[in-house]
Amino acid sequence: MGSEYVRWRPAAAVRPFASWYTGYDQHGLPPGRHRGLPSPHLTLIVTLGEPLRVAAHPDPATPPGRYDTLIGGLHTTPAILTHDGRGAGIQVALSPLGARALLGLPAGELAGADLDAACLLGPLADELRERVCLAAGWPARFRIVDELLTRRADPALAPAPEIAFAWRRLCATGGTVSPAELAGETGWSGRYLSRRFGIEIGLSPKVAARVARFDRARRRLQASGGTHPLAALAVECGYYDQAHLSREFSALAGVPPARWWAEEFRNVQSPLDLAAADSGA
């Protein structure tokens, strides 16, 4: 029984588009399930053996499926992943600001969606999986991800500077900056910012702020081993009080914080989203 997780910083050419890579390898564990929670990152997953099994997608109209590679957009409800006690792969945390450069379309077109990565990356998705499966060790695998994402990226395809500024500001504050403040700082009207934000990011500034606050709170709870007092956590992460935190957790994770932690503690070897981070890139 055991599991291994390795976090890796992308190469300089990839960092504008991806915040980190996480390699995971679990084996000999009881069968279980994992909630793929809303976060400020799009997700690229490349498996190293067993396909990823998605029992329920953020979009309930999408049927359950098995994926060798997967790309997921920003979402506000959890995906439910199942495993039989083993699984290995690489998860890439993609910035929505890099969606055009890496995927060829704005992140807004992927909101709530899970897709086979080949739908967007074409043959590169199969090449990526084949090469990382053959590579020996995490550093070699991560360098292959760097190589292929660098080959794929077109830095000329980027959202407007105002959108990039607003997104980074929202993430840096953990979702505590208001849409009105963001609009004022960009020089755009609130309505225009919301429309452009939805196209490029996939969420309105208000909803994106909810996701950023939630992401910060759940990562701090996770980093504390579930011991962080919820009342203090609520204050630190910009909620009115503990009840507000619990309501938002239930809305975005599907369960309140205590139940989520209990589930994750039993399933702590889950392969996804275990790297701690407070903000997107």
Side-chain angles (χ1 to χ4, degrees), residues 116-182:
D116 187 311
C119 294
L120 297 177
L121 300 179
L124 185 140
D126 289 337
E127 179 184 353
L128 178 58
R129 184 171 188 271
E130 289 170 6
R131 289 182 60 185
V132 297
C133 284
L134 291 172
W138 292 115
R141 294 169 185 147
F142 293 138
R143 283 193 287 269
I144 290 168
V145 178
D146 278 337
E147 175 194 337
L148 296 192
L149 292 187
T150 299
R151 183 205 303 174
R152 169 79 184 186
D154 182 354
L157 299 177
E162 291 87 352
I163 294 295
F165 169 82
W167 175 252
R168 293 188 176 114
R169 176 97 164 91
L170 187 150
C171 291
T173 62
T176 58
V177 62
S178 71
E181 288 178 273
L182 284 179

Side-chain angles (χ1 to χ4, degrees), residues 28-276:
L29 304 173
R33 72 177 199 164
H34 170 72
R35 292 176 185 270
L37 299 181
S39 87
H41 291 91
L42 284 73
T43 300
L44 166 63
I45 297 171
V46 182
T47 62
L48 296 175
E50 293 289 315
L52 188 72
R53 302 192 311 213
V54 185
H57 296 267
D59 180 356
T62 304
R66 296 163 64 92
Y67 300 85
D68 290 329
T69 60
L70 178 141
I71 289 175
L74 298 190
H75 51 101
T76 58
T77 55
I80 304 299
L81 314 175
T82 61
H83 64 85
D84 61 4
R86 57 181 177 170
I90 294 172
Q91 175 176 316
V92 180
L94 298 174
S95 168
L97 298 179
R100 286 186 184 271
L102 285 177
L103 307 178
L105 77 177
E109 294 190 25
L110 296 173
D114 289 328
L115 302 171
D116 187 311
C119 294
L120 297 177
L121 300 179
L124 185 140
D126 289 337
E127 179 184 353
L128 178 58
R129 184 171 188 271
E130 289 170 6
R131 289 182 60 185
V132 297
C133 284
L134 291 172
W138 292 115
R141 294 169 185 147
F142 293 138
R143 283 193 287 269
I144 290 168
V145 178
D146 278 337
E147 175 194 337
L148 296 192
L149 292 187
T150 299
R151 183 205 303 174
R152 169 79 184 186
D154 182 354
L157 299 177
E162 291 87 352
I163 294 295
F165 169 82
W167 175 252
R168 293 188 176 114
R169 176 97 164 91
L170 187 150
C171 291
T173 62
T176 58
V177 62
S178 71
E181 288 178 273
L182 284 179
E185 291 171 1
T186 60
W188 288 353
S189 71
R191 179 177 296 182
Y192 186 66
L193 174 62
S194 182
R195 183 170 69 82
R196 291 291 301 276
F197 210 83
I199 292 171
E200 295 295 339
I201 304 299
L203 304 173
S204 70
K206 182 176 181 179
V207 175
R210 289 181 62 207
V211 169
R213 280 196 303 272
F214 164 77
D215 185 68
R216 174 172 282 187
R218 69 96 171 177
R219 289 185 186 277
R220 289 190 176 185
L221 180 61
Q222 187 169 321
S224 75
T227 62
H228 201 307
L230 295 182
L233 186 65
V235 172
E236 292 170 14
C237 295
Y239 294 98
Y240 298 125
D241 52 27
Q242 182 176 335
H244 184 205
L245 167 65
S246 294
R247 287 195 303 273
E248 284 291 275
F249 225 97
S250 294
L252 294 167
V255 291
R259 181 175 167 188
W260 172 76
W261 174 251
E263 290 179 355
E264 288 301 304
F265 182 77
R266 289 194 299 270
N267 193 34
V268 71
Q269 297 86 0
S270 295
L272 305 182
D273 280 343
L274 290 181

